[in-house]
Amino acid sequence: EVENLIDLEMDGFPSSSKARNGRYQRSTSDWGYVGDLVEDDDKIGLYSYKVQSTITSRLANTMIQAKMVNNARRPQPIMFDVQVPKGAFIDNFTMDINGITFTSHIREKSEARKMYAQAKAKGKAAGIVRSNALDMENFKTEVNVPPGMRIQFQLHYHEMIRRKLSSYEHVISVKPGRLAKHMEVDVRIVEPQGLRYVHVPNSLGDHFNGITTISKGEKKAHVSFKPTMAQQRKCPKCSTTAVDGNFVVQYDVNRESTGGELEIFNGYFIHFFAPENLDPLPKNILFVIDVSGSMWGLKMKQTIEAMKAILSELRAADQFSLIDFNHNVRCWRDNLVSATPSQVEDAKKYIQTIHPNGGTNINEALLRATFILNEAKSLGMLDPNSVSMIVLVSDGDPTVGELKLTTIQKNVKQSMKDDFSLFCLGIGFDVDYDFLQRIATDNRGMAHRIFGNQETSLQMKNFYNQVSTPLLRKIQFNYPQESVSDVTQSSFHNYFGGSEIVVAGKVDTENLQHLESIVTATAANAELVMETLRDVEELDGFMKKDKYADPEFTRKLWAYLTVNQMMAERNAAPTAALKRNITKSILQMSLDHHIVTPFTAMLIENAEKDEIMLADQPKDPRKGCCQGTLGLTPNAPNTNKGIPAWANVTAVPVSFMPEQRSPPVSSLSINRVDNDPHFIIHLPKSQRNICFNINSEPGKILNLVSDPGTGVVVNGQLVGAKKAENKKLSTYFGTIGFYFKKKGLKVEITTETITLKDGSYAITLTWADTGHIIRKQLLISVKKESNVTITVGEEMSFMVLLHRVWKKHPVNVDFLGIYIPPENQFSPAAHGLIGQFASEPEVSIHHQTPGQAPEKPQAIMEVKGNKFTVTRGVQKDYRTDRVLGTDVLCWFVHNSGKGFIDGHYRDYLVPHLYSFMKKP
């Protein structure tokens, strides 16, 4: 995400790193120069990649460290790119560059921005850090390193490991991007309750069978993963690493008391509550499924697959119904029905008939669901001991009916009256996940986000399984008021099997010998009262003797829970004054506990304070505000650097002309595909523009360029409008893929991100960034919210243009256009909808006659032995004006280019985004 975030050829570095002639000398430290390292083409050596993680009573402290060196004879960008779990708190980041150390400090956001602005004005600002909210969040920084220089990156974060489906799961992203001479993942677990089991699934693949070692004691465990360089290789002679994925540790603890486990240490208590062996409560559940046009394709297919499996898991005591919605709302049944085999089977058949189309009316769908539950309650149809819930599955914002999110939130809250729970599952990049989190937490539920892919169905089922087995209702935790203070949330609507409730607070250990808790709850057949008594010094001896245990674990867990609770309360605050007060409390907690939240920022600077970076979080709700997660974006470099002239055009007005030939204006002499999708082929020799449209289906992939000679592929995947107009569903390019086979590089551009892939190495920018990526002499230049230019030496260049539409538009969607100059040096074997015209065909246009409209004359075109009628018209070039475009005169070929392109347009459909096509 960064181009030249830090340029190390600057004042302030030690003179010992330079020779007298001004060139940097190669480091001779014990790890700075490693002659036997296997390097990529960029000559960057990864000497060491180490992950150390210690879990103390569900609090995981993780450190990721990388030691790298530039072994090339020229300056090289070196990237530190790691993934941090969503919701983790980053609390420290350091860099050591040839002995110069950059350290981090937490400041109030406006203060940090002011300090950064002052440094920037003095030319001392190196870069800016911002967060984005994916499931695993990227933390990226890139440094331009002179020859022979070494650099060490070190990132620290902590998180609370949540219990799901009867297991704690610690996930560590391990993606070094290249072979490491020394690689290690080291996990230590310290659980005073005792360990039931420790399991490490083979999440990195069969390649690493037998390498992980597990040593388990009664209350401690040690997991080690130390592949040699030979074991890291994808194949015996490969120079690429097979280490590319998540390292997962799963475990559970012993439970002796139904009232939970109290752990008291250093002035704080943590209460872990996860009772087992209880009969499930019956549930009343409404599934509310988004079937708008944006759910078309794989998302809908996998949603149907998941729903069929979920319906099969309903218990006989459960009641349920289904609601599907687009611009309209439809009910499978207008009331709750028992989950009998016949009703479940009928519901499955109904789900199978759903066809997505139209807009999104979230407000009416949720109000209809709450109406059904409220009506059932008023009629006495709900078991007093049952749990009522709504599960919403959606992939977008409201586009029909009530559009104001705060009004929808208010409507749902008033309708649910704290009687029911709302669980929200957001699918894809377009969903407003921040909104789903607010309405879920506002209504005693939770939200989860998945990104539409092949695992959508599995993720949906796992999400449902977390809430499918309610065991307790109305859980209340009680502690002696004179002994405890600042207790986190202590009352809960439901407890689901396989999960865990955690309560924390401060405790006066000086005047207290024992701490007692009383938990009351409603079970399937009775009211339960559960008591727990713990000696306040019970843990002291054990914790102080263990060198791996974190002595601050109770304080960190209390702060983690408190900040997350305050964030949820702030989202649901009914008044601006209350919201301001909560914000002040979050800010103070962030500063006291040295963590990055949406109201603080992290300054990263060297000891002399002459280089500074800013770690910040944007307020864009689409980006989310997951606490403590960071990703780097650069200063805005000169975006014209290395970009071909044709990509920086100026507008040239074009008037309607009756003659056959288009004006030879360089800014218009380019092949392009834009809008719905309209193709314009420029024929340089005859100075003509020929146009045609392709009408295909959403999800289909069209080959634009397939050149086995140069090894270049360009494909575009279609996305549909939100609904059809005049019985026609418009399609656009939503994703464009480039494959440069000889370089081993793939570039995927969507309306959200730009990703470069080189084997296991990948780097992603968003359209909110401005910057460059350089890899193997391929330059990707991103202009914020505008365009991406790909330049391959002097041989080829491409531009992809972003078209944003109003997100609440009832029909239109964001899409991409692609522009390819005819000067690109494709081989004679090039083909594809655009590539076939690299060898210009002979075209004759004659017998021009007036058309039905004066500005649209008709003529006869002869090309490739075919003769057909064409119409003079106007298409748009959007490079200079992405809203209105610049008019381009062309001859329009009807019937999807039939006669002008080889074969039929269906011959250009390919199975994958990087597939070569077979000639028609």
Side-chain angles (χ1 to χ4, degrees):
E1 296 185 6
V2 183
E3 167 74 8
N4 292 340
L5 177 63
I6 302 176
D7 186 348
L8 296 189
E9 298 189 68
M10 58 190 178
D11 294 336
F13 273 76
S15 58
S16 60
S17 65
K18 284 189 177 181
R20 290 184 179 178
N21 61 8
R23 294 185 179 180
Y24 283 85
Q25 296 178 331
R26 191 175 299 279
S27 169
T28 57
S29 74
D30 60 339
W31 62 272
Y33 175 67
V34 188
D36 60 343
L37 281 187
V38 176
E39 302 146 344
D40 290 344
D41 291 348
D42 52 18
K43 301 294 182 183
I44 292 172
L46 176 59
Y47 177 76
S48 170
Y49 192 89
K50 182 183 294 185
V51 181
Q52 291 181 337
S53 190
T54 300
I55 304 171
T56 309
S57 286
R58 285 67 139 192
L59 178 79
N61 290 289
T62 302
M63 182 275 291
I64 302 177
Q65 180 194 81
K67 296 181 178 181
M68 309 175 81
V69 61
N70 179 12
N71 286 327
R73 295 183 178 180
R74 55 186 173 82
Q76 290 273 68
I78 291 184
M79 175 176 288
F80 179 64
D81 179 1
V82 300
Q83 290 186 314
V84 178
K86 185 174 67 175
F89 285 153
I90 289 179
D91 47 40
N92 197 16
F93 172 65
T94 61
M95 294 190 301
D96 187 286
I97 307 167
N98 252 31
I100 295 180
T101 301
F102 287 72
T103 57
S104 60
H105 310 277
I106 300 295
R107 296 285 188 273
E108 188 272 330
K109 177 168 285 190
S110 61
E111 177 190 353
R113 286 178 171 173
K114 182 179 179 180
M115 294 174 68
Y116 178 76
Q118 290 172 347
K120 188 175 182 180
K122 296 176 182 178
K124 296 179 180 180
I128 189 166
V129 183
R130 294 193 184 277
S131 78
N132 48 19
L134 303 178
D135 196 36
M136 290 286 285
E137 324 253 356
N138 276 37
F139 180 99
K140 296 184 181 182
T141 182
E142 184 171 349
V143 179
N144 197 39
V145 180
M149 189 173 284
R150 66 190 188 278
I151 184 167
Q152 174 180 300
F153 302 97
Q154 192 163 292
L155 178 72
H156 294 255
Y157 64 87
H158 66 267
E159 59 178 321
M160 190 177 84
I161 309 298
R162 298 281 187 177
R163 189 169 186 255
K164 298 177 181 178
L165 304 178
S166 300
S167 176
Y168 299 101
E169 185 172 85
H170 185 35
V171 180
I172 304 171
S173 176
V174 186
K175 298 184 178 183
R178 60 189 76 225
L179 296 171
K181 186 175 183 181
H182 301 285
M183 166 165 283
E184 179 180 6
V185 179
D186 189 89
V187 180
R188 304 250 176 197
I189 305 173
V190 180
E191 287 288 355
Q193 285 181 232
L195 291 164
R196 278 181 56 204
Y197 67 85
V198 177
H199 173 60
V200 180
N202 196 17
S203 55
L204 288 173
D206 295 338
H207 188 91
F208 299 104
N209 275 341
I211 296 178
T212 301
T213 61
I214 303 174
S215 174
K216 176 185 171 297
E218 181 185 352
K219 297 183 178 182
K220 305 176 193 177
H222 179 211
V223 177
S224 179
F225 174 71
K226 295 178 67 173
T228 64
M229 187 177 283
Q231 290 170 330
Q232 294 170 46
R233 298 178 190 272
K234 279 190 174 180
C235 63
K237 295 183 179 180
C238 289
S239 61
T240 53
T241 180
V243 182
D244 184 21
N246 292 331
F247 186 81
V248 179
V249 178
Q250 298 171 337
Y251 73 95
D252 201 7
V253 299
N254 297 321
R255 288 180 177 81
E256 298 177 358
S257 169
T258 56
E261 294 295 329
L262 276 172
E263 295 187 0
I264 306 156
F265 193 66
N266 275 359
Y268 295 86
F269 77 87
I270 310 294
H271 192 167
F272 299 103
F273 181 77
E276 298 177 337
N277 303 318
L278 296 171
D279 293 330
L281 296 169
K283 61 181 177 289
N284 315 297
I285 185 166
L286 265 294
F287 297 99
V288 182
I289 311 298
D290 183 348
V291 296
S292 59
S294 56
M295 287 287 288
W296 191 93
L298 185 61
K299 281 192 284 190
M300 193 74 253
K301 179 181 178 182
Q302 297 206 337
T303 297
I304 291 173
E305 178 187 334
M307 281 304 306
K308 289 165 68 177
I310 288 168
L311 289 169
S312 296
E313 295 176 5
L314 291 172
R315 299 181 181 87
D318 295 338
Q319 298 186 95
F320 79 106
S321 189
L322 299 170
I323 293 175
D324 63 289
F325 70 97
N326 46 26
H327 49 283
N328 296 315
V329 177
R330 292 168 296 277
C331 299
W332 167 66
R333 295 285 187 268
D334 290 327
N335 55 279
L336 292 170
V337 298
S338 297
T340 63
S342 61
Q343 294 283 21
V344 168
E345 196 59 35
D346 193 61
K348 289 181 184 178
K349 291 178 181 177
Y350 177 81
I351 284 284
Q352 197 70 47
T353 64
I354 290 175
H355 296 288
N357 64 83
T360 308
N361 194 340
I362 292 178
N363 184 69
E364 186 178 341
L366 288 176
L367 294 184
R368 183 75 63 86
T370 56
F371 173 81
I372 291 175
L373 286 175
N374 280 317
E375 185 179 45
K377 181 181 178 181
S378 65
L379 295 174
M381 295 174 57
L382 304 184
D383 186 326
N385 286 333
S386 65
V387 171
S388 299
M389 65 181 76
I390 296 169
V391 176
L392 169 69
V393 180
S394 180
D395 77 332
D397 292 339
T399 61
V400 179
E402 179 57 60
L403 303 181
K404 192 174 181 181
L405 300 183
T406 53
T407 302
I408 297 175
Q409 183 179 352
K410 181 180 178 181
N411 291 344
V412 174
K413 178 69 174 176
Q414 289 178 343
S415 182
M416 296 189 79
K417 303 174 185 175
D418 289 335
D419 290 331
F420 319 128
S421 295
L422 174 61
F423 299 94
C424 299
L425 186 63
I427 301 178
F429 288 92
D430 295 331
V431 68
D432 191 335
Y433 183 62
D434 184 64
F435 167 65
L436 294 185
Q437 280 187 311
R438 289 200 306 273
I439 61 172
T441 55
D442 204 22
N443 293 283
R444 303 177 181 271
M446 64 179 181
H448 182 66
R449 182 175 187 172
I450 59 178
F451 299 91
N453 54 34
Q454 285 71 23
E455 297 181 353
T456 297
S457 179
L458 176 62
Q459 292 183 70
M460 284 184 64
K461 286 183 280 189
N462 285 342
F463 176 73
Y464 170 74
N465 288 338
Q466 293 178 45
V467 300
S468 63
T469 312
L471 299 181
L472 294 173
R473 297 175 59 243
K474 298 181 179 178
I475 307 102
Q476 179 67 48
F477 291 77
N478 300 282
Y479 309 96
Q481 295 183 358
E482 67 277 5
S483 304
V484 302
S485 62
D486 296 329
V487 178
T488 59
Q489 181 179 348
S490 59
S491 61
F492 298 83
H493 196 52
N494 300 311
Y495 166 73
F496 296 94
S499 66
E500 182 174 61
I501 294 175
V502 183
V503 181
K506 297 178 181 178
V507 61
D508 181 6
T509 55
E510 292 185 4
N511 301 308
L512 190 70
Q513 291 185 333
H514 306 282
L515 179 63
E516 181 182 27
S517 73
I518 300 176
V519 183
T520 60
T522 301
N525 301 311
E527 296 292 322
L528 299 182
V529 178
M530 296 158 278
E531 298 184 28
T532 303
L533 184 68
R534 284 291 179 270
D535 187 329
V536 297
E537 297 181 355
E538 184 174 325
L539 277 182
D540 285 9
F542 173 78
M543 296 300 296
K544 291 176 180 177
K545 289 179 183 178
D546 193 286
K547 64 179 181 179
Y548 295 107
D550 182 357
E552 297 290 320
F553 83 96
T554 50
R555 179 186 64 81
K556 290 180 180 177
L557 281 171
W558 173 80
Y560 184 96
L561 290 167
T562 300
V563 170
N564 277 285
Q565 180 180 323
M566 288 193 293
M567 289 294 298
E569 290 172 352
R570 184 183 182 277
N571 284 337
T575 66
L578 179 57
K579 184 169 288 190
R580 282 194 299 270
N581 289 335
I582 298 173
T583 301
K584 290 179 182 178
S585 299
I586 297 172
L587 172 60
Q588 192 59 51
M589 285 284 294
S590 305
L591 297 175
D592 291 344
H593 297 273
H594 198 267
I595 51 180
V596 178
T597 66
F599 311 107
T600 57
M602 178 184 285
L603 287 172
I604 304 164
E605 56 193 0
N606 61 1
E608 291 76 21
K609 301 186 185 302
D610 58 8
E611 278 294 325
I612 188 169
M613 291 187 293
L614 176 68
D616 197 358
Q617 287 199 340
K619 293 185 177 179
D620 179 4
R622 184 83 55 180
K623 296 286 186 181
C625 59
C626 298
Q627 293 82 352
T629 51
L630 304 175
L632 286 169
T633 59
N635 295 322
N638 176 8
T639 55
N640 292 335
K641 175 184 175 184
I643 299 177
W646 66 266
N648 293 310
V649 299
T650 55
V652 178
V654 179
S655 59
F656 290 105
M657 295 181 291
E659 60 268 30
Q660 297 177 4
R661 300 175 189 272
S662 301
V665 180
S666 62
S667 66
L668 301 177
S669 303
I670 189 168
N671 300 320
R672 70 212 83 183
V673 190
D674 218 322
N675 219 313
D676 181 22
H678 302 318
F679 287 71
I680 306 177
I681 304 299
H682 178 72
L683 305 177
K685 294 178 183 177
S686 60
Q687 286 299 313
R688 290 189 174 98
N689 290 320
I690 310 299
C691 309
F692 58 91
N693 295 348
I694 295 293
N695 297 314
S696 190
E697 302 170 7
K700 299 293 186 182
I701 302 174
L702 292 170
N703 176 254
L704 307 178
V705 177
S706 180
D707 187 1
T710 60
V712 174
V713 169
V714 184
N715 292 324
Q717 185 168 28
L718 297 172
V719 62
K722 295 174 183 175
K723 65 178 180 180
E725 288 189 310
N726 299 322
K727 298 183 179 181
K728 176 184 179 295
L729 181 68
S730 296
T731 55
Y732 312 86
F733 281 133
T735 302
I736 295 176
F738 297 83
Y739 179 29
F740 302 95
K741 185 177 181 180
K742 293 184 178 180
K743 293 180 178 291
L745 298 178
K746 296 176 180 177
V747 180
E748 179 176 339
I749 301 176
T750 72
T751 56
E752 299 293 334
T753 58
I754 304 98
T755 302
L756 169 71
K757 303 175 185 177
D758 183 1
S760 62
Y761 171 91
I763 178 171
T764 299
L765 292 93
T766 72
W767 283 101
D769 297 325
T770 290
H772 302 306
I773 304 172
I774 302 174
R775 187 82 168 175
K776 297 180 180 178
Q777 288 77 54
L778 181 140
L779 168 66
I780 302 175
S781 299
V782 181
K783 187 175 181 181
K784 181 179 179 179
E785 294 295 337
S786 178
N787 61 68
V788 174
T789 304
I790 299 175
T791 308
V792 189
E794 297 182 356
E795 295 82 38
M796 295 182 196
S797 56
F798 308 85
M799 175 189 276
V800 175
L801 204 65
L802 173 67
H803 294 271
R804 287 274 190 234
V805 301
W806 180 42
K807 67 178 183 179
K808 297 178 181 178
H809 195 286
V811 178
N812 296 340
V813 295
D814 294 345
F815 65 95
L816 304 172
I818 181 169
Y819 294 72
I820 304 175
E823 294 81 12
N824 276 1
Q825 297 175 24
F826 296 122
S827 77
H831 212 269
L833 286 167
I834 293 177
Q836 63 187 286
F837 299 104
S839 301
E840 183 174 332
E842 292 290 334
V843 175
S844 172
I845 298 176
H846 52 82
H847 289 87
Q848 182 173 321
T849 58
Q852 294 182 346
E855 68 274 15
K856 293 185 177 181
Q858 294 185 329
I860 300 298
M861 175 183 285
E862 292 189 58
V863 60
K864 302 178 181 180
N866 301 312
K867 183 187 294 187
F868 45 86
T869 300
V870 292
T871 303
R872 189 69 158 164
V874 173
Q875 293 286 20
K876 295 288 187 179
D877 184 317
Y878 290 96
R879 286 175 295 161
T880 58
D881 186 337
R882 287 184 300 137
V883 178
L884 300 177
T886 302
D887 289 339
V888 178
L889 287 171
C890 65
W891 287 104
F892 185 79
V893 181
H894 303 274
N895 300 319
S896 297
K898 185 177 181 181
F900 181 61
I901 63 173
D902 294 339
H904 193 277
Y905 87 85
R906 284 192 292 270
D907 299 329
Y908 298 84
L909 296 175
V910 292
H912 305 293
L913 195 60
Y914 305 111
S915 297
F916 285 85
M917 71 162 286
K918 297 179 180 179
K919 283 191 177 182

